[in-house]
Amino acid sequence: MKLIVPSHRTLARLFLLQHSTKYCFALANSMTTETAACTSNSVPTSIEDVSPSYLQLTTKLKLVSQLRRVSSVLDYDRTVFMPQADECAADRGAQMAALAQVIHEKATDKEIGTLIERALKDLEASSADEFQEERRVLELSKKSFEKNDRISAELEARKAKLSSESYGMWTKARAESDYSMFEPYLKNCFDVAMEVADAQRDDDSVPLYTQMLDDYETGMSAERIDEIFDEIKNELVPLISLVLGDTATAPSTDPLKGEFPVEKQQVMNEQIVKSIGYDKNFGRIDVSVHPFTSSLGAHDVRITSRFSKDEWYQGLAGSVHEAGHAMYEQNLGNSGLSIDSALSMGVHESQSLFWERHVGLSKPFWRYAT
């Protein structure tokens, strides 16, 4: 059974559902024998009839989506399979920079902006209840196009190259426990991020943090984030003090320690994530320096975890967490349009943390797992 998951398409459908009952009653009351006899050819019933520009637009948008998925394949290979020599990281950085430049050029093609405006004009004659999903695609596409158009292809390429080189150095610095190795790369990452933010800025009245936050949590403001965390802090700090008290002792972590062959941990974790719903027929489970999920489309969603031979829980927690992300992605639509993308980072983390914390720390889960 297909799960209903929060996405941009879900929002469009909820809007349509809200108005559908009223629309159906109005239609029934206004129907006459004459109108009922009208042929289907007299009234446009599909987006093809209403807006040829929309179809041209989605063809271009889907091409950009596929190129971004290609970039994700290169990125996954970089973090999981690629040799870790500095020269490899430099070569992969050049490859990803070249692809990022092509993607940017395709995504900011002036014809995309023209087709968006034409399609919006085509839909003006339709009622507000019609073509809700297509309207949402146009809304998201216009916002994305305008934002991408403010930055240069050169900046996109430089950002991609820096990402690859920085990841390679981060893995080395982590292994050596030497922050100084990574520090200049991190500074460059911040500098480039600020350069991108400044280039995309179109409203000086909006705080810069709010503008940048919109890439991850659409519509959320810095002020609202502060309110949420203040509310959480006001409730949690007294609760933690009450639970711990003056005489509380930390629980023993001895059951987590010992000798645990990594290969056996991997077998166990795969069984668990498959049992909670991750479909490995449409994905992979690999090992990486830090756990992550990579979606190459709804039919190829991959997860990684990391393992320690003398502690078993971090591998399990990472696997269950990433499986939560992956199950969300596996149940999104596969149109290649923004309407079928994840709604926000907050929604994404709600899925992963639901499985890791609410399910994965529950007594019923551990009765099953043991």
Side-chain angles (χ1 to χ4, degrees):
M1 181 175 67
K2 190 78 169 178
L3 296 176
I4 299 177
V5 294
S7 66
H8 293 286
R9 183 183 295 275
T10 308
L11 291 185
R13 287 176 174 170
L14 287 175
F15 180 89
L16 181 60
L17 180 62
Q18 182 181 15
H19 295 277
S20 60
T21 303
K22 179 176 68 176
Y23 174 77
C24 289
F25 277 119
L27 180 63
N29 290 334
S30 64
M31 212 175 215
T32 64
T33 302
E34 181 178 358
T35 57
C38 290
T39 65
S40 60
N41 291 332
S42 63
V43 179
T45 57
S46 68
I47 191 65
E48 290 89 344
D49 297 320
V50 174
S51 180
S53 294
Y54 180 83
L55 298 181
Q56 296 175 46
L57 171 66
T58 55
T59 298
K60 289 181 173 292
L61 295 177
K62 289 176 182 179
L63 173 61
V64 173
S65 292
Q66 296 302 338
L67 289 172
R68 285 177 173 151
R69 289 172 178 175
V70 172
S71 180
S72 295
V73 174
L74 288 176
D75 189 58
Y76 191 85
D77 177 77
R78 179 194 67 180
T79 53
V80 176
F81 302 118
M82 192 182 80
Q84 295 304 305
D86 292 343
E87 293 82 359
C88 294
D91 288 347
R92 181 52 52 88
Q95 295 160 10
M96 297 188 73
L99 183 55
Q101 190 164 351
V102 172
I103 292 171
H104 184 267
E105 290 169 354
K106 295 290 185 182
T108 57
D109 179 357
K110 298 304 180 185
E111 190 176 357
I112 287 181
T114 300
L115 290 170
I116 290 172
E117 296 305 322
R118 286 178 182 172
L120 287 170
K121 187 172 181 61
D122 291 339
L123 292 179
E124 286 179 358
S126 305
S127 71
D129 292 332
E130 293 182 287
F131 306 115
Q132 281 301 311
E133 292 185 2
E134 290 81 3
R135 293 177 194 274
R136 182 61 173 156
V137 168
L138 292 172
E139 178 186 355
L140 293 169
S141 300
K142 182 174 182 177
K143 179 180 179 181
S144 177
F145 175 79
E146 291 176 347
K147 182 175 288 188
N148 289 331
D149 195 43
R150 296 190 189 107
I151 64 177
S152 67
E154 181 276 332
L155 179 54
E156 279 285 3
R158 184 152 43 92
K159 176 183 171 185
K161 185 173 185 292
L162 176 62
S163 174
S164 180
E165 293 175 349
S166 297
Y167 177 81
M169 184 51 66
W170 172 76
T171 60
K172 287 180 169 55
R174 185 180 183 276
E176 297 291 332
S177 295
D178 186 354
Y179 170 70
S180 66
M181 295 171 62
F182 182 60
E183 184 176 11
Y185 289 83
L186 181 61
K187 181 181 183 304
N188 287 340
C189 288
F190 276 111
D191 290 343
V192 169
M194 286 299 299
E195 194 174 343
V196 171
D198 287 337
Q200 292 181 330
R201 196 153 179 76
D202 67 330
D203 186 350
D204 291 337
S205 67
V206 176
L208 184 59
Y209 187 84
T210 296
Q211 174 193 309
M212 299 175 74
L213 181 63
D214 192 66
D215 288 337
Y216 303 95
E217 202 67 33
T218 303
M220 184 69 74
S221 67
E223 292 80 9
R224 179 57 182 147
I225 288 286
D226 288 339
E227 290 173 2
I228 292 172
F229 278 99
D230 284 343
E231 183 177 347
I232 293 172
K233 179 181 177 181
N234 292 338
E235 295 294 332
L236 280 186
V237 171
L239 177 61
I240 292 172
S241 298
L242 179 64
V243 170
L244 295 180
D246 296 330
T247 61
T249 58
S252 172
T253 59
D254 289 343
L256 305 180
K257 302 171 184 177
E259 294 184 10
F260 309 99
V262 170
E263 295 78 10
K264 291 185 178 180
Q265 290 187 61
Q266 289 178 276
V267 171
M268 178 191 73
N269 287 356
E270 179 174 328
Q271 291 175 343
I272 288 175
V273 299
K274 286 166 65 176
S275 70
I276 66 175
Y278 175 68
D279 192 342
K280 199 187 173 190
N281 292 318
F282 300 102
R284 288 183 57 92
I285 305 174
D286 290 301
V287 178
S288 63
V289 177
H290 188 81
F292 70 95
T293 300
S294 180
S295 177
L296 315 180
H299 300 146
D300 187 357
V301 184
R302 309 178 184 189
I303 64 174
T304 73
S305 192
R306 68 182 177 201
F307 302 93
S308 171
K309 63 183 180 180
D310 54 13
E311 194 276 344
W312 59 268
Y313 181 68
Q314 67 167 310
L316 176 60
S319 297
V320 172
H321 180 98
E322 298 306 330
H325 281 301
M327 287 186 286
Y328 177 35
E329 290 285 346
Q330 286 184 330
N331 284 280
L332 292 173
N334 197 39
S335 68
L337 299 174
S338 52
I339 196 171
D340 282 321
S341 62
L343 188 59
S344 72
M345 180 175 282
V347 171
H348 232 305
E349 289 299 326
S350 76
Q351 306 303 296
S352 57
L353 289 170
F354 169 78
W355 286 103
E356 179 195 350
R357 312 297 292 178
H358 291 274
V359 175
L361 294 180
S362 68
K363 288 183 179 179
F365 173 81
W366 285 107
R367 281 196 291 267
Y368 158 77
T370 57

